[in-house]
């Protein structure tokens, strides 16, 4: 029985469009160019930040992030960034008595922005808050600490096989892969994903049937 559902952030509950468009505008390159580079690094199984380094060789991503913040062009999130199924799905999970946690690889700033949205979740935390990021085992150790449920009763939901599904399963959690965003679509039918994920879903509203099934 699943007692706690933990959801990734990027391309699981929020669209990454604004994130990449803001970077493209900051670097002064066409948005389509950066989107194509993101697709290329995804297909190669590389870190998505490599798309920025391909667009601007030698780029110090962390320093450039700080420069954006200082210029007033840093991270932003609002209701329009959420996928349409997020509020209904999370609301239904809580109605069913499930503990809902949002935990992904985001900055502390992103965590603050997410918490400001008033989502129907019991806890919202980020790798920036914890000081440890996926796919490190320590991230999923922290997930289990806040889940208030055993590994077999905790379900992690994400789009990225290497960051979400594989390490979650290695930590003993159940895992649901969502076909959403570039990673979710590209790797949805990969043999290693189908063999590892406990469930494969197309929308977050399907989580309720997993809980009640």
């Amino acid at each position: 029985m699943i007692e706690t559902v933990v959801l990734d952030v990027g391309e699981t509950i929020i669209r990454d469009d604004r994130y990449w468009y803001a970077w493209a505008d900051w670097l002064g390159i066409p948005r389509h160019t950066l989107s194509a580079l993101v697709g290329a690094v995804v297909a190669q199984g590389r870190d998505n930040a490599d798309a920025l380094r391909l667009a601007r060789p030698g780029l110090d991503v962390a320093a450039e992030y700080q420069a954006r913040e200082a210029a007033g062009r840093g991270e932003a999130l609002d209701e329009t960034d959420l996928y349409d199924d997020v509020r209904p799905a999370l609301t239904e999970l809580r109605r069913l008595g499930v503990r809902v946690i949002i935990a992904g690889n985001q900055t502390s700033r992103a965590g603050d922005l997410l918490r400001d949205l008033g989502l129907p979740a019991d806890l919202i935390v980020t790798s920036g808050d914890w000081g440890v990021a996926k796919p490190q085992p320590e991230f999923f150790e922290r997930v289990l600490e806040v889940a208030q449920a055993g590994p077999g009763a905790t379900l992690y939901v994400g789009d990225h096989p290497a960051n979400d599904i594989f390490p979650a399963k290695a930590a003993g959690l159940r895992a649901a892969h969502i076909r959403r965003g570039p990673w979710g679509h590209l790797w949805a039918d990969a043999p290693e994903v189908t063999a590892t994920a406990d469930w494969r879903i197309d929308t977050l509203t399907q989580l309720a049937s997993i809980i009640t099934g």
Side-chain angles (χ1 to χ4, degrees):
M1 179 178 178
I2 301 300
E3 301 174 15
T4 300
V5 172
V6 186
L7 301 105
D8 171 47
V9 178
E11 294 301 346
T12 296
I13 67 167
I14 64 169
R15 297 177 175 85
D16 282 343
D17 305 50
R18 185 202 295 261
Y19 177 85
W20 292 113
Y21 289 169
W23 269 113
D25 294 347
W26 175 258
L27 295 176
I29 62 174
R31 292 177 174 181
H32 173 71
T33 298
L34 187 56
S35 294
L37 289 173
V38 171
V41 300
V42 168
Q44 295 170 7
R46 296 165 58 180
D47 183 347
N48 57 7
D50 284 346
L52 300 174
R53 300 182 184 101
L54 287 171
R56 183 73 61 79
L59 182 74
D60 184 330
V61 177
E64 209 67 24
Y65 174 90
Q66 294 300 326
R68 282 181 54 196
E69 290 289 337
R73 296 174 60 182
E75 288 187 89
L77 282 174
D78 60 32
E79 193 72 20
T80 64
D81 296 298
L82 293 174
Y83 277 100
D84 293 340
D85 59 358
V86 173
R87 287 190 182 277
L90 271 57
T91 298
E92 179 63 9
L93 288 174
R94 296 185 81 186
R95 188 190 71 79
L96 292 170
V98 174
R99 179 169 169 80
V100 176
I101 296 174
I102 296 170
N105 277 357
Q106 322 295 137
T107 63
S108 294
R109 167 64 176 160
D112 290 338
L113 293 170
L114 284 167
R115 288 184 282 269
D116 287 344
L117 293 178
L119 293 168
D122 296 281
L123 178 67
I124 298 174
V125 291
T126 68
S127 57
D129 297 328
W130 279 344
V132 62
K134 297 181 293 183
Q136 293 174 278
E138 291 80 5
F139 181 93
F140 291 92
E141 290 173 7
R142 298 297 300 271
V143 165
L144 286 171
E145 288 174 7
V146 300
Q148 299 181 10
T154 302
L155 171 61
Y156 195 86
V157 184
D159 63 301
H160 198 303
N163 282 352
D164 301 326
I165 306 307
F166 302 152
K169 289 295 291 183
L173 283 69
R174 310 297 293 279
H177 181 258
I178 186 165
R179 187 192 295 264
R180 177 172 283 178
W183 291 267
H185 283 286
L186 182 62
W187 301 107
D189 297 319
E192 59 270 35
V193 174
T194 60
T196 304
D198 295 287
W199 295 277
R200 293 186 296 146
I201 60 176
D202 296 307
T203 173
L204 295 177
T205 54
Q206 292 174 259
L207 292 172
S209 63
I210 291 174
I211 301 303
T212 58

